[in-house]
Structure formats: structure tokens, C-alpha cells
Amino acid sequence: MTISALAEQVFAAQPFTQDLGAELLEASADGVVVALDLAPRHLQQHGIVHGGVLSALADIALAFAGGLAMGSDAVTSEFKINYIRPAKGSGVLVRAEALGVTKRQAIVQARILAGDVLCCVAQGTITRV
């Protein structure tokens, strides 16, 4: 099974990811791209994307990118996110890539964009299961 096919299979098996509406656009040992078409349920009272939605997308992309880089099933052991600008528009895109990989963990960075606007940057430690 290819890396991309395995990633798609795991992605599809995650109920929360499916409920959120996230879509895996690209997956390789070099990183992942995750997209979300925005709906009213993703917004907070000011009409911008809720920080929890952005955080969840970051976590999803970080874990997938780290796991693929290690070639293993993996979970997030920690991450932080910096909210730079409000996310608004019709969708968001997350690009994540591993910065450093060992046998047991990967340090991964993700950038979240709404259109061409960088909204968030997240970095995390992803641990092999």
C-alpha cells in the first residue's frame, strides 16, 4: 500500500476528522495538506473561524505529517499554536512538514492559511505509537 493510500485510509477512519469535514488533499513522507470548506458551524460569534477548529486542523495535520515522516502510527504528544490573523472566507488549508525525525518522534510544523492569508502557525512533537 502506498503512503498516500495508507494516509487516506487512516484519515477516513477518524470519526472526529470526518465530523469536522476535513479533507486530506496530499500525503507523502514530505508532508501533508489538509483542507476544510468552511460552514457556519465552524465559526464563532464574530463570523471568523473558531480557534478550536483551527487547533484541531493543526493537530490533525501535525500528527499525519509526523507519522508519515517516521513511517509509523503516531500521536501528538504536544503542540502549540500561534494565531496570527483571523481566519475567514470559504475555506482553510493546512500544510504540515516534519522538521526533524528520530526513531521515536518527529518535530513538525504546520501553517494554516485562509485564502492567501497566513492565519496560524503550529509546531508539535509527534510520537511513534
Side-chain angles (χ1 to χ4, degrees):
M1 181 178 293
T2 67
I3 288 176
S4 181
L6 176 61
E8 288 174 17
Q9 181 181 13
V10 173
F11 201 87
Q14 295 183 339
F16 175 76
T17 301
Q18 298 308 306
D19 284 348
L20 186 61
E23 181 182 359
L24 183 64
L25 298 183
E26 296 176 24
S28 72
D30 295 328
V32 300
V33 177
V34 175
L36 177 67
D37 289 332
L38 295 173
R41 66 188 175 115
H42 298 123
L43 308 180
Q44 44 93 301
Q45 73 275 14
H46 299 292
I48 60 176
V49 181
H50 192 285
V53 171
L54 298 171
S55 181
L57 289 170
D59 181 35
I60 291 163
L62 291 168
F64 268 82
L68 291 172
M70 288 185 289
S72 172
D73 195 12
V75 295
T76 304
S77 60
E78 67 81 30
F79 83 98
K80 71 174 293 260
I81 188 167
N82 293 102
Y83 299 98
I84 300 168
R85 290 181 186 81
K88 47 189 167 181
S90 61
V92 294
L93 193 70
V94 185
R95 296 182 183 280
E97 64 178 338
L99 303 176
V101 181
T102 68
K103 288 182 182 180
R104 294 189 178 155
Q105 68 182 20
I107 306 302
V108 184
Q109 186 177 72
R111 294 172 183 261
I112 302 174
L113 300 117
D116 293 332
V117 177
L118 179 64
C119 299
C120 308
V121 175
Q123 182 169 302
T125 305
I126 309 305
T127 304
R128 178 184 300 271
V129 174

